[in-house]
Amino acid sequence: MGGFVLKRILQAIFVLLVVTLFVSYAVRLSGDPALMLSQGAGSVTEQDLQNIRAGLGLDRPFLVQYADFVRGIVVGDFGRSFMGGTPVRGLIADALPATLALAFVSLLLSVLVSVPLGIHAAVNKGRGVDQVIRIVSLVGLSFPNFWLAIMLVLLLSVTLQLLPPSGWDGPLSLVMPALTMAIILSATNVRLVRTAMLETLSSQYITVARSKGLAERAVLYKHALRNCAIPLITYIGLQFGNLIGGIVVVEKVFNWPGLGTLAFDAISGRDYPVLQGTVTVLALVIVAVNLLVDLAYGLVDPRIRSK
Amino acid sequence: MQPAVLPTAAAPQGRAFQWRSLEFIAGALLTGLMVLLVLLSVWIFPDRGSTMDLAARLSPPFAQWAHALGTDPLGRDVLARVLVGGRISLMVGLLSTLGASLLGITIGLVAGYYRGVWDTILMRCVDVQLALPFILIALTFISILGGGLGNIIVFMIISQWVQFARLVRGLVLSVREREYVQAARAFGVRDLSMVRHHILPNVIGPVIILVTLNVANNILLESSLTFLGLGVDPLIPSWGGMLADGRTYMQTAWWVSVFPGVAIMLTVLGLNLLGDWLRDRLDPTGKL
Amino acid sequence: AGTLNVALHQDPGNWDPIATFLVSWGAVGSQVFDGLIIRTPDMKLVPGLATKWEFTDKNTKLRFTLRPNVKFHDGEPFDAEAVKFTFDRLLGEEGKKGPQQSNYTSIDKVVVVNPMTVDFILKSPDPVLLTKLAGYGAMIVPPKYIKEKGSQFFGMNPVGTGPFKFSEYKPKIALALERNPNYWGGAPKVDNLNYRFIAEPATQAAELQAGRIDVANQIPLSMVETLKKDSKLAVLSMDGPVALALRYNTQRGIMKDKEVRKALTMAVDRDAIIKTILLGNAKPIASFQGVLSFGNDPSMKPLPFNPAQAQAMLKKAGVKPGTSIQLDFRGPDSNFREVAQAVAGYLQAVGITVSLKPYETNVLLNDIIPNGKTGEMWQNQWGGWTFDYDNTAYAMYYTKQRWNPFDDDAKLNALLHTQRNTWDQAARKQTLHEIARYVADQALEMPLYSLNTVYGLNKRAKNLDLPADGRFRFVNATVE
Amino acid sequence: MPAVHPAPLNAAPQAAGPLLSVRSLAVEFPVPGGRLRAVDGLSFDVSAGRTLAIVGESGSGKSVTSQAIMRLTDYSGGEIVDGQILFNSPVSGPQDLRLASEEAMRSIRGNEIAMIFQEPMTSLNPVFTIGNQIAETLVLHQHMTAAQARAQALSLLELVRLPDAGRLLDAYPHTLSGGMRQRAMIAMALACKPALLIADEPTTALDVTIQAQILNIIRELQRELQTAVMFITHDMGVVAQMADDVVVMWRGRQVEQGPVDRIFHHPQHPYTRALLAAVPKLGSQAGLALPRRMPLVVLEDGQLREVGTEQVQDTVDASAPLLSVDQLTTRFDVAHNLLGRATHRVHAVEAVSFEIYPGETLALVGESGSGKSTIGKTLQQLVQATSGTVRFEGKELAGMHAQDRQRLRQEIQYIFQDPYASLDPRKTVGFSIAEPIRTHRLLDDPRAVQKRVAELLECVGLRPEHAQRYPHEFSGGQRQRICIARALSCNPRLVIADESVSALDVSVQAQIIDLMMELQAQRGLSYLFITHDMAVVEKISHRVAVMYLGQIVEIGSRQDIFERPQHPYTRKLLAAVPVAEPGHRIDSRLIQGEIPSPMRKVGHGPEILRLVEVNPGHRVAQAAVA
Ligand SMILES: Nc1ncnc2c1ncn2[C@@H]1O[C@H](COP(=O)(O)OP(=O)(O)OP(=O)(O)O)[C@@H](O)[C@H]1O
Ligand SMILES: Nc1ncnc2c1ncn2[C@@H]1O[C@H](COP(=O)(O)OP(=O)(O)OP(=O)(O)O)[C@@H](O)[C@H]1O
Ligand SMILES: [Mg+2]
Ligand SMILES: [Mg+2]
């Protein structure tokens, strides 16, 4: 195991290099920050642009810039934003907790809701409960996340005035964004749990567990659930990754100061240092999550571990 | 040496069985109906919902025959646009899901089945893909190749295969250690046939679910692209685009965004019913 | 007393006046800093840190008499050295890195005459100079503070002479200002200003509805009616600096023909678009500028909406029905998405098929347009903060300018040049009118409308003196 | 169908009446094309302190009956369509379990009625440790704390004589041998000291010494707690030893029942007679050098008939070995330090050498957990050998081309110990049986394949239409036969049969063995026959190898082993074989003693035993000889 983790860390470094290299290169393809920064100026000469570029250190060859960035990362210096010179590390340090909080709470909420619902649907397969659960869970998939988000805002903030419609101050602010994400995540999770459950419930050892007189709850949540945990864990891992990096739209609606928005703004502002820094952190988190998922496979299924 | 099977005549059919066929009928009907309406929409609405009437903008639904589902901010008929819009949405949703799932399943199978180097390489690719911000890929991809329909589908495949790959790989890792797989290996079943007959059928359940859900996801992904300004021509109606356009009207004109959402829901419901039915068909043990 | 809560759509990230061109900077910067000249909400130039000014030496020298007894927030006195320092910085190495320097290139140098007098030595005429001196880059900054702490620090912890002091800044999230009791113009009435950065217009509206902000600087037009119905809220819609047009790619296909371009303009009912889609929050324009702009000619009328004539003109020009053209626009701009679709609808009616191509805003602005990669038409949107047609027209029509990838018109160049090199405002106005007419005659664009500046307000906030250009100065504001 | 009417059973010792009394029970399953009545009109009583044995044909509904009593058929798609299951609960009073609420059933299951399932491999949850699965019941029904339950689980594992009980608490099922899993199942069932114990073939995977020990334990428990035991088995020796009363089932019905003596000595129904006639008796072949095929007693139209004639199985071609195994060693790492280095290993197979000649049957017997299955899996390239060489027809396995290996996979067939786990649950058994044929392209025409599958099914006593069914729709013995059919489908030259006839009733077993011997005679097939059933070994093997703790302790001709056993373990094994004669008891002294463990610290390998030849071809571990 120790060796396995060590190997994965080496691979992670490789992944980080590839990702940051790609991102640094791609973002440089997609636009020139000097043009952006000078956009409002009356008339701009090529000389002005070059001055701006030189000021940002963009006049050097790409690989030199990249090497510089990597060197910075190694010593923990993420550079400064093109948009105003804010230290990138500070921006990330501010955004990361918000993102992690949202990701954790949404996932937790979703798991807490979808596991029982999915199991319930599986056990009552074909009956009314199952149909209702299946149809309701689809709502989260039929409307885009911003749509759900705006609906929640209209209902809970504007009409009922229960929750703050946006921002990041205190646990109350977390409710709606987490709810939005949880509704969406649950749509998939409920159905995954249901299916995986159906595959497991017919196993002999489930009959055996029942023969021991275990409460149905123990049979389902202990014996069956763990046996169908692999698709769930896989998917939750993926969802975590998505939540960390990809929920820009929801973050925007709730004005949630997360990494997704940071990355998004950095992309649209061609703010290379912020983007590179954010992506590095994203990649780190995702690599870590995938490592955890792989380790979890062995935990939930000892047969995988023994190889 | 067997007790004989009794004739069926009086034997009542199991409840599960009834539901299963009902599931199929409902699923096929719903999907079929959506597809049919969408296909026929061009004949029903020869203008393809493009006739504008700024004077009649945002008229509410169920008020007049001409615009049964109301009109949008440009005074176009919502019903016509929902039906015509299905053509793009269904095509994008189905094709991109098809592509992504085929790619992802294949990669997941290879990685999970062979493990070792293949697994390492493919799963690191997954890591890379997951760590790249969706918008950046969208932006680079679409701004380099242009935002045509084909490109959007390709882009969706690129951004969606990962989940299939990882899901399938996880399941394969577990299934390949089962004794029946070893048994098959023992009498020399070749890899391809092993995967086809023993691995795939035993991992396919969750995958089917993901596939049916992914159709919805990809239809909606288009609306996220629109939200970010990377979508297709807004003159070509699509469910995702309509949802994105309707988002500022949610307090004033709910129908603009609700009906495309309902259309997505019905389609996805139909597909899911079919998916569940298929899953049940493939799982002989599930006759609870 | 009390706290005023303001929503801004963006965080400029740096509060150094020379580092930015963003409106959202102005919304904060104008509270913290003063220029020598201040522009009032009704567009008048009034004394700021300078009490008076005059041009001498054939307009090559501009002398300012400074306001005495003004102190920066940190106690540092304001004097001629501070002015010199500010402009040396803006025009020197430091300024090179930012976008503001290019606005002030007509200034050769600043000379200290005595502690309360400075001379600006000019190297070329700049008729808009005074307006620009009321602009972002010309905000007076504290020399000692910057020298001690460095620009980097200054950018995060700005110190000015303005009515409000910087107190806390959470990048991308919020910003707090507090009252400057010693403000030379009289201390503001509210104690605190709380800015929150909220990018989504719909979210700003929701926050307004929830009563958590008092001023929203971007609300979706579709929400205007809803907000107006709320007894606690108000909506303020006023002439603004932003003009929109569809520029024609005069190098491409049918667009090479001037008559065709005119026909297209006439085929689109711009008034209807303003009335319905924009709910009246815009004004029709005949040239690429709003009514507040210096150089706007009220007597100039837009081409009329006349589809029949347009069709006839197209036919005459040999344009076949069904000819298709492409319109490039900023994809995320949900408002313009509708406008573009409406335009396409009108053009369809005269037999021109339009395909709409959304672009990510920055790709459009920094690649497609400057490099001339557009379709037949493209969304041209411009918020000239100087409210002077010079700035706009020069950027739009002068050869090889970034916004002019297609045309090279010697006559237009000459006109632009002339007006830019004259101090005589009356003559300049004449020339600007001429330019506008010439552009309209050449049909370089389809002028659409000038967009109103729309604010959403909570009625508990009073005397906000909201300006059209978004540069808030809440000196007189009160909250209940 | 001449069903004997249920005569009242012997009066129970207590006046209270029977603990369980089943009245005209009928269970049905929906199957394609109709409903299958798996159990029909079954009635019997079990009283406290007594043992009822249910014997009968494979697939006759024994397991279904036991599941119906626990009402587990509710979950497996079955339906109790008729009858009563009267349970006189010591806790909650008499009640009809058929009508009991789910709630009531839960407090009875595992607590008052416990069950040992037939197939231990698939009955243990693969993702929980053995200890966890045992402790669970204790926490639930006995309200123990986790620590108490763990301690109790440990003593239960020791009770069922598992070696290394402490380690096994934290081991996962897949690392246990078949017999070890079965003992874990038994420990689980005994945990709460139930009033009624239903044991469905509880000792099929156990060697006779451990079987004897387990039977002893059940008897002890019964004596102590007046437990009623329902014992389902096909081993008439075990029946004779354990049962007070016997129910004989045939085709879903009970054909005969009565006290054990009467059934054994005065069987009424022809099926019972056929069954008893088929019981292999240890020592019946004494003095014969070669195994022989005996005539089969079959039941036809209610009449017993003998078919076939006695034939000597003189099939061995001793010129060159087909398979030779030299110093084969297979170890499993079971504990690791922080750096991922192994600290403890299970020495499953240690320096094992033997040969198999064409046409020969080598029986591999030995203690449960001694490495027999591991040898089988190693030979079939499913488990990586740690060292040693395996040669097939003189060619070394390790150096073979992929193509040769592939051919080997046709010529050597391994029949897994657990048939259920080794059948793909999503494929019809027809598909599974046909798969080797298709894999090795033995037949091209799909119709020919289908025909072959039908033939094979008939060969093993199933019907062609069974090809359409899925594995979960069969009984344990039926699945075992499916696996045999699958192994035979690709014309192998060597079959490794791992406990392949253990779940078959003796009459079917006799048919299958006859089939295997016939194939040997016809095609010169070789068998490596792994089994615990010494009587079967005597009946079919040419040579016998006895394993103990991963090593062969004695190997020799059948006569050598059965008539001149040298090693003490061999002797113990032979002494422990139950005799199909009521009243006969095993000498309990034979079955005492230490439980050895194959797990060792790295660097502390076991002593490699040296075999010395005491007779030509008869070799015994040195220590025993000295
Ligand atoms: N789930 C099921 N679906 C359909 N048929 C079933 C099912 N379970 C059992 N059967 C059928 O019921 C009959 C009785 O099975 P059962 O398992 O009780 O046999 P058994 O007497 O225990 O046999 P064995 O000794 O081989 O274990 C068999 O013919 C079997 O095919
Ligand atoms: N994958 C594994 N990991 C660790 N230990 C294992 C593994 N497989 C088998 N063992 C151990 O190897 C030993 C031999 O197991 P094997 O299955 O060969 O026994 P067996 O002789 O077939 O016993 P039985 O007659 O009970 O089936 C046992 O102690 C078992 O626990
Ligand atoms: Mg059975
Ligand atoms: Mg074994």
Side-chain angles (χ1 to χ4, degrees), chain B residues 2-3, chain D residues 29-31 36 38-39 56-65 76-78 118 200-201 232 466 469 472-478 481 503-505:
Chain B
Q2 286 299 308
Chain D
F29 287 96
V31 289
L36 177 105
V39 176
E57 196 192 19
S58 166
S60 61
K62 304 183 293 292
S63 300
V64 168
T65 303
S76 60
Q118 187 173 8
D200 194 351
E201 313 262 17
I232 299 170
H466 283 152
R469 290 216 223 153
H472 71 280
E473 293 171 321
F474 289 93
S475 80
Q478 289 169 334
R481 284 178 273 165
L504 302 176
D505 66 284

Side-chain angles (χ1 to χ4, degrees), chain C residues 100-290:
Chain C
Q100 286 292 338
Q101 193 184 57
S102 60
N103 282 329
Y104 300 91
T105 41
S106 61
I107 303 170
D108 186 30
K109 62 181 181 225
V110 174
V111 178
V112 177
V113 179
N114 63 46
M116 284 296 120
T117 313
V118 289
D119 282 344
F120 282 54
I121 312 297
L122 307 178
K123 60 181 168 204
S124 58
D126 182 355
V128 201
L129 181 63
L130 290 182
T131 307
K132 287 177 179 171
L133 286 177
Y136 300 2
M139 297 288 179
I140 306 300
V141 299
K144 200 162 130 261
Y145 184 79
I146 293 181
K147 277 183 209 142
E148 271 171 21
K149 310 266 180 163
S151 282
Q152 204 78 260
F153 183 85
F154 173 69
M156 297 293 120
N157 305 275
V159 161
T161 56
F164 289 91
K165 294 193 280 192
F166 216 73
S167 77
E168 200 196 348
Y169 174 40
K170 286 186 263 172
K172 308 256 174 195
I173 300 173
L175 172 68
L177 301 184
E178 66 186 55
R179 183 169 100 108
N180 174 9
N182 305 319
Y183 185 52
W184 56 263
K189 311 236 171 12
V190 291
D191 294 332
N192 296 296
L193 288 184
N194 244 334
Y195 285 93
R196 284 177 55 207
F197 303 110
I198 302 176
E200 264 294 296
T203 310
Q204 286 203 4
E207 285 280 338
L208 199 65
Q209 287 176 305
R212 292 175 15 118
I213 55 174
D214 303 312
V215 180
N217 79 336
Q218 293 224 320
I219 54 170
L221 291 182
S222 57
M223 289 289 296
V224 166
E225 291 309 309
T226 315
L227 295 182
K228 275 184 183 158
K229 281 197 203 109
D230 191 324
S231 61
K232 294 195 296 294
L233 307 179
V235 175
L236 201 63
S237 178
M238 60 177 91
D239 290 325
V242 179
L244 276 104
L246 288 176
R247 277 289 282 277
Y248 295 128
N249 178 345
T250 53
Q251 312 275 299
R252 190 159 153 162
I254 57 166
M255 309 308 282
K256 287 184 186 146
D257 186 341
K258 188 166 90 178
E259 290 306 304
V260 171
R261 305 202 288 262
K262 279 190 179 149
L264 293 190
T265 307
M266 288 168 74
V268 176
D269 189 349
R270 287 138 288 157
D271 290 331
I273 290 177
I274 292 171
K275 208 172 98 217
T276 54
I277 298 178
L278 304 172
L279 300 163
N281 293 295
K283 292 237 165 58
I285 53 173
S287 59
F288 195 44
Q289 57 189 329

